[in-house]
Amino acid sequence: MKVLGIESSCDETGVAVYDTAIGGADGLRAHAVYSQIALHAEYGGVVPELASRDHVRKLLPLVRQTLAEAGLGTGDLDGVAYTAGPGLVGALLVGAGVARSLAWALDLPAIGVHHMEGHLLAPLMEDDPPQPPFVALLVSGGHTQLVAVDAIGSYRLLGETLDDAAGEAFDKTAKMMGLPYPGGPQLAKLAESGAPGAFRFARPMTDRPGLDFSFSGLKTQVLLAWQKSDRADATRADIARGFEDAVVDTLAIKCERALDAAGCDVLVVAGGVGANRRLRAKLQAMCEQRGGRACFPRPALCTDNGAMIAFAGALRLRAGQHDDDAVRATPRWDMASLPPLAAGRESGMGNREPQEGETPAR
């Protein structure tokens, strides 16, 4: 089954084709991502209206490019998947509108994919993929969650951030320290030259039971240290290293607790912050020490991309699940409300009730 995937939840336009007949890493026939970083850099953050307009401008050319790279025509496709939420409603509607139009024109089944399920399942595209049950750490600019995965489509939230997501904390801290947009990757790069231990910040909420996160206080600690510092380049690097170490240690401590709570030793890590090299090394070592394993998508598939949407959509379409003909965008969407994968064989998804916050259009 060859499925076209479209991602447009925020400021990346992603398109991919995944072929379930091949499977594994080779099943990704082609994928392309257009980033809007340059467009939003002068504003220091994503401007939703500009993001939507740029998706309109780039999406169809990117679809044509990706199909050409895959050596396929539209007539070779067996289904279409698109990000239906969560995300920016205008950006979501662009991707949903294009995807549904293609599906209508080609008489193909289409399905709206949960953005975070796409991230969660991305490591399963790799060779030797993990099999449920496992614990997933979803860590990005908009989300920091620990999820128990009992089966594909069967998710239990174990813990989440009470304020800033980890990636958001990276970006805001970098901005406070005068680093260019997008700040998170800049801060991580700067931290590589920082001296470990020169600045030590708290590991928030690790001194008490529970699996929730909070990074706003850590961000304040860094601001105070920065304001009192000499602002030298070496000091900036040392503070960046201290901040990164605090975030990485906090995530690792909570992940180990989550593995204990779920009674398993397989950890899946996905989302933009999952590309952080220090975090990968820390979680890999922690899992190996327990006799388990940590699984990551390749770095290019950690950030928003069409490949994860094509793959997640292909799994559900192959199971017989698909949506009706409405164009839907769900800016706020609880992943726990998704149906288990096997349920689609009996009930399908065409008659599902609209979720809270969902925007249908025809």
Side-chain angles (χ1 to χ4, degrees):
M1 186 176 211
K2 302 178 187 69
V3 176
L4 178 74
I6 292 175
E7 155 62 21
S8 67
S9 64
C10 190
D11 62 335
E12 270 102 18
T13 311
V15 179
V17 176
Y18 191 84
D19 189 344
T20 61
I22 300 173
D26 292 336
L28 183 58
R29 297 283 297 266
H31 77 107
V33 177
Y34 172 77
S35 174
Q36 300 177 2
I37 285 176
L39 174 66
H40 301 288
E42 65 177 294
Y43 304 100
V46 177
V47 180
E49 176 64 20
L50 295 181
S52 301
R53 290 177 180 274
D54 218 39
H55 286 308
V56 171
R57 184 173 67 89
K58 293 298 296 186
L59 189 48
L60 282 175
L62 213 58
V63 168
R64 296 189 190 100
Q65 173 190 326
T66 303
L67 287 172
E69 289 176 0
L72 300 171
T74 55
D76 298 311
L77 296 174
D78 301 300
V80 181
Y82 62 94
T83 303
L88 302 174
V89 64
L92 291 169
L93 282 169
V94 174
V98 170
R100 284 281 8 161
S101 297
L102 284 171
W104 285 329
L106 300 171
D107 194 24
L108 295 175
I111 191 164
V113 173
H114 192 291
H115 179 78
M116 296 311 295
E117 183 178 48
H119 276 304
L120 188 154
L121 298 179
L124 276 64
M125 272 189 285
E126 306 299 343
D127 295 325
D128 189 25
Q131 298 299 320
F134 54 76
V135 169
L137 171 67
L138 304 179
V139 57
S140 66
H143 299 81
T144 301
Q145 300 176 330
L146 283 164
V147 179
V149 180
D150 301 316
I152 296 176
S154 181
Y155 309 123
R156 290 182 290 117
L157 181 65
L158 300 176
E160 62 184 337
T161 184
L162 304 179
D163 41 57
D164 292 346
E168 182 182 7
F170 263 94
D171 288 340
K172 288 181 176 178
T173 300
K175 188 174 183 178
M176 289 188 313
M177 295 170 61
L179 296 176
Y181 175 86
Q186 301 287 339
L187 189 147
K189 183 177 181 180
L190 182 62
E192 294 177 4
S193 60
F199 286 85
R200 180 173 176 80
F201 302 110
R203 276 56 176 162
M205 296 184 69
T206 58
D207 58 349
R208 68 192 78 172
L211 296 172
D212 288 331
F213 302 90
S214 172
F215 295 107
S216 61
L218 173 60
K219 185 180 62 181
T220 302
Q221 277 190 308
V222 175
L223 174 61
L224 293 174
W226 175 245
Q227 290 174 338
K228 294 176 182 178
S229 74
D230 58 12
R231 309 288 181 96
D233 289 344
T235 303
R236 190 197 304 258
D238 291 344
I239 292 176
R241 176 62 185 268
F243 170 81
E244 184 181 59
D245 284 346
V247 173
V248 167
D249 287 351
T250 300
L251 292 172
I253 291 168
K254 297 285 186 170
C255 283
E256 186 160 25
R257 288 183 187 175
L259 290 170
D260 289 338
C264 66
D265 288 310
V266 178
L267 177 69
V268 162
V269 184
V273 182
N276 182 281
R277 289 188 290 180
R278 192 160 284 117
L279 178 64
R280 284 184 172 233
K282 183 85 173 182
L283 295 178
Q284 188 73 51
M286 181 267 288
C287 288
E288 288 176 358
Q289 209 169 34
R290 297 170 57 96
R293 65 187 287 217
C295 305
F296 308 86
R298 68 199 83 167
L301 299 187
C302 285
T303 53
D304 294 350
N305 61 86
M308 66 184 192
I309 304 305
F311 178 72
L315 293 182
R316 291 191 175 272
L317 287 169
R318 189 174 61 176
Q321 298 180 5
H322 59 85
D323 284 336
D324 59 25
D325 289 342
V327 176
R328 287 195 176 92
T330 313
R332 299 176 65 85
W333 190 1
D334 182 2
M335 195 166 65
S337 69
L338 294 174
L341 189 65
R345 293 192 180 276
E346 290 121 26
S347 63
M349 294 182 70
N351 296 319
R352 69 180 175 88
E353 291 296 320
Q355 302 293 316
E356 181 181 355
E358 190 168 57
T359 302
R362 293 187 182 276

